[in-house]
Amino acid sequence: MQLDPRGPRFAAVLTTVVLAVVLVTGWGWLALAQTIVFAITAADPRRGPYALIYRALIAPRLGPPTEREEAAPVRFAQLVGFAFLAVASIGYLSGVTTVGMVFAAFGLLAAFLNAAFGLCLGCEAYLAARRLTAGRA
């Protein structure tokens, strides 16, 4: 599966906004909503809520992409985001707000790096793991 790389970057912008709101307000339910977004997108990046918004509202105004990227690194990155935000959600909703804040902050940092600079930490971790496993084979 090939993706328009601008879609995941747009999703990172929305994720950055959502996680900034989570950190400012401490809304555990919003963290849980973002966790669900990560889960859906990890299952299929084309069907994630932010991807649907991108395709409906943004992509038609941009024209076709000049390049495409593999979906596997994006799926892995979304899975990592899911794990971090699941812990953040549990922290916030169980009253251990420090855990919620720390894990939401890690998620915010990763989303911001992708949104602002195009650096997807989860994608890079996926590619590094692939190189390591290919080297051992």
Side-chain angles (χ1 to χ4, degrees):
M1 173 185 348
Q2 297 278 311
L3 301 173
D4 177 349
R6 300 171 297 182
R9 195 158 180 189
F10 172 78
V13 170
L14 295 182
T15 302
T16 297
V17 172
V18 168
L19 294 181
V21 171
V22 167
L23 283 170
V24 168
T25 63
W27 291 343
W29 293 107
L30 184 58
L32 182 60
Q34 181 61 49
T35 305
I36 293 167
V37 168
F38 278 135
I40 294 167
T41 308
D44 186 349
R46 297 172 299 170
R47 293 193 180 9
Y50 299 157
L52 297 174
I53 294 169
Y54 173 77
R55 279 200 316 276
L57 301 177
I58 307 300
R61 291 168 174 76
L62 297 178
T66 58
E67 59 186 48
R68 296 223 176 245
E69 67 182 7
E70 288 294 323
V74 173
R75 291 179 71 189
F76 180 79
Q78 294 295 306
L79 190 59
V80 172
F82 167 79
F84 273 84
L85 263 293
V87 173
S89 299
I90 291 167
Y92 278 117
L93 295 174
S94 68
V96 187
T97 55
T98 303
V99 170
M101 288 177 64
V102 167
F103 279 84
F106 282 135
L108 175 60
L109 174 64
F112 176 76
L113 288 173
N114 193 357
F117 304 109
L119 175 62
C120 175
L121 295 178
C123 300
E124 294 299 324
Y126 174 86
L127 296 172
R130 290 283 307 240
R131 283 190 292 272
L132 284 174
T133 57
R136 291 182 183 163

